[in-house]
Amino acid sequence: TKTFPPHTLFCSAFKLVEANYKELREAILFLKESCVMTNVVEMKVNLHCDECIRKILKAIKKIEDIETYDVDTQLNKVTVTGNVTDEQVIKVLQKVRKTAVKWDQANQTLFPN
């Protein structure tokens, strides 16, 4: 039988573990990305001037994991898609002193802000 020095065995075992670790890490990242839920959040926000729109866009861009966003000035509607909740959008809009409520097709009246 052939014997190997301990460091050779250790290095071989380390390389095997390292290769498997890289594969496992890639699999975990793939699963994590595929499990991200895409939500569509639609909010009614009073968009009365360009400065308001600028502040709203700046605030929305800070939300993590968003895919798209849109501001419709005619409908006073803000739409955000991605791994985001209604509460997250409302919270960032409150930070720029904007009131936001969930979009409701039946209730399209303006509110003060």
Side-chain angles (χ1 to χ4, degrees):
T1 60
K2 197 172 190 184
T3 59
F4 297 95
H7 76 282
T8 303
L9 289 174
F10 175 78
C11 289
S12 297
F14 180 77
K15 287 179 184 178
L16 181 63
V17 169
E18 184 179 35
N20 287 334
Y21 172 77
K22 287 178 183 178
E23 288 178 19
L24 182 59
R25 180 169 165 74
E26 288 175 13
I28 290 170
L29 289 174
F30 173 78
L31 289 173
K32 183 179 176 185
E33 288 175 8
S34 64
C35 290
V36 172
M37 300 295 279
T38 298
N39 297 321
V40 177
V41 175
E42 296 177 313
M43 294 286 160
K44 186 174 188 78
V45 183
N46 193 6
L47 307 168
H48 64 285
C49 70
D50 289 339
E51 184 64 20
C52 289
I53 295 167
R54 188 189 65 75
K55 286 180 182 179
I56 289 167
L57 289 172
K58 186 176 179 181
I60 289 171
K61 289 177 186 177
K62 292 180 181 179
I63 302 172
E64 289 186 31
D65 297 331
I66 63 168
E67 295 173 10
T68 64
Y69 55 89
D70 181 60
V71 175
D72 187 326
T73 55
Q74 291 184 347
L75 294 175
N76 286 295
K77 183 177 182 181
V78 173
T79 305
V80 181
T81 61
N83 186 20
V84 63
T85 63
D86 294 341
E87 293 76 20
Q88 285 176 299
V89 175
I90 290 170
K91 187 175 179 180
V92 298
L93 293 176
Q94 285 175 341
K95 287 182 180 179
V96 293
R97 297 184 176 164
K98 297 305 289 181
T99 301
V101 294
K102 293 179 185 179
W103 182 259
D104 181 356
Q105 293 289 346
N107 180 14
Q108 295 186 15
T109 58
L110 293 177
F111 48 86
N113 190 10

